[in-house]
Amino acid sequence: RFCEEQRIKLLCYGTVAGGFLSERWLNVPEPHEPLENRSLTKYKLIIDELGGWDLFQDLLGVLSLIARGHRVSIVNVATRWVLDQPQVAAAIIGARNAVYLRDNVQALEPSFAGSRFYLNQEDLRAIGRVIQRSAGPQGDTYSLERLKGGKHASIMRYNLNKVS
């Protein structure tokens, strides 16, 4: 709300939660540490905060149904949802290699992809129903990382400018 009132637009990252919002994680058992990298560790903690693996699987299921209906990927649906938020100006879409580039472009404007898909009201309501069930972290989004000794702080690197 603050951003809307101040006419601030956001550049968002993490639109696919380090790859968790993809077909790879649909209908698979909950992963346990150690995960492949710090990014997955970070986003798994967020999944836990939002409501856990079962709720996350419900979200992936909804995203998968929407993706099939539009003939795109879960990554495309998640990215499109973020880009369609009123205060979002752009999104940073990470990809480990060029294999993902063609798929990522599907969520962008027609000038890039040639055939942009749109999330319709039914799609948005289906996603919204799952999101409403989320406990979600409350308050300042960085407070979880600032809590020294907390789960989220364990993956942070502090005092990077400190000279040893």
Side-chain angles (χ1 to χ4, degrees), residues 138-151:
Q138 302 297 312
D140 180 351
T141 56
Y142 297 105
S143 63
L144 295 172
E145 295 169 352
R146 289 184 186 131
L147 182 60
K148 299 280 182 166
K151 292 184 290 188

Side-chain angles (χ1 to χ4, degrees), residues 65-121:
L65 286 172
I66 294 168
R68 281 192 304 240
H70 290 284
R71 296 189 190 121
V72 296
S73 68
I74 289 175
V75 167
N76 296 155
V77 174
T79 301
R80 184 77 259 151
W81 184 88
V82 169
L83 289 170
D84 288 346
Q85 299 309 299
Q87 294 313 122
V88 173
I92 298 170
I93 304 170
R96 285 192 211 187
N97 59 52
V99 171
Y100 300 109
L101 182 60
R102 185 178 301 247
D103 182 57
N104 287 335
V105 169
Q106 292 296 319
L108 303 176
E109 295 294 331
S111 59
F112 291 102
S115 61
R116 176 181 176 193
F117 79 96
Y118 295 87
L119 295 175
N120 60 43
Q121 290 303 310

Side-chain angles (χ1 to χ4, degrees), residues 1-163:
R1 182 147 177 108
F2 175 80
C3 290
E4 181 180 11
E5 291 168 358
Q6 302 301 314
R7 298 175 57 189
I8 296 171
K9 294 288 186 175
L10 303 172
L11 173 60
C12 297
Y13 73 96
T15 58
V16 295
F20 272 119
L21 288 170
S22 68
E23 284 79 2
R24 174 183 174 193
W25 296 98
L26 178 63
N27 297 322
V28 299
E30 181 173 3
H32 298 286
E33 290 189 23
L35 296 173
E36 189 176 336
N37 56 51
R38 288 179 67 224
S39 181
L40 288 177
T41 301
K42 170 184 166 179
Y43 289 112
K44 175 58 172 70
L45 289 170
I46 294 297
I47 289 168
D48 294 344
E49 292 284 336
L50 291 172
W53 195 251
D54 289 340
L55 182 61
F56 180 68
Q57 286 299 310
D58 291 348
L59 177 61
L60 284 179
V62 166
L63 296 178
S64 178
L65 286 172
I66 294 168
R68 281 192 304 240
H70 290 284
R71 296 189 190 121
V72 296
S73 68
I74 289 175
V75 167
N76 296 155
V77 174
T79 301
R80 184 77 259 151
W81 184 88
V82 169
L83 289 170
D84 288 346
Q85 299 309 299
Q87 294 313 122
V88 173
I92 298 170
I93 304 170
R96 285 192 211 187
N97 59 52
V99 171
Y100 300 109
L101 182 60
R102 185 178 301 247
D103 182 57
N104 287 335
V105 169
Q106 292 296 319
L108 303 176
E109 295 294 331
S111 59
F112 291 102
S115 61
R116 176 181 176 193
F117 79 96
Y118 295 87
L119 295 175
N120 60 43
Q121 290 303 310
E122 184 179 323
D123 298 334
L124 296 173
R125 280 192 295 274
I127 294 168
R129 282 191 294 274
V130 178
I131 291 172
Q132 285 176 341
R133 294 172 33 218
S134 166
Q138 302 297 312
D140 180 351
T141 56
Y142 297 105
S143 63
L144 295 172
E145 295 169 352
R146 289 184 186 131
L147 182 60
K148 299 280 182 166
K151 292 184 290 188
H152 294 269
S154 70
I155 65 166
M156 300 304 297
R157 294 186 180 150
Y158 297 98
N159 298 323
L160 294 178
N161 294 322
K162 183 178 176 182
V163 178

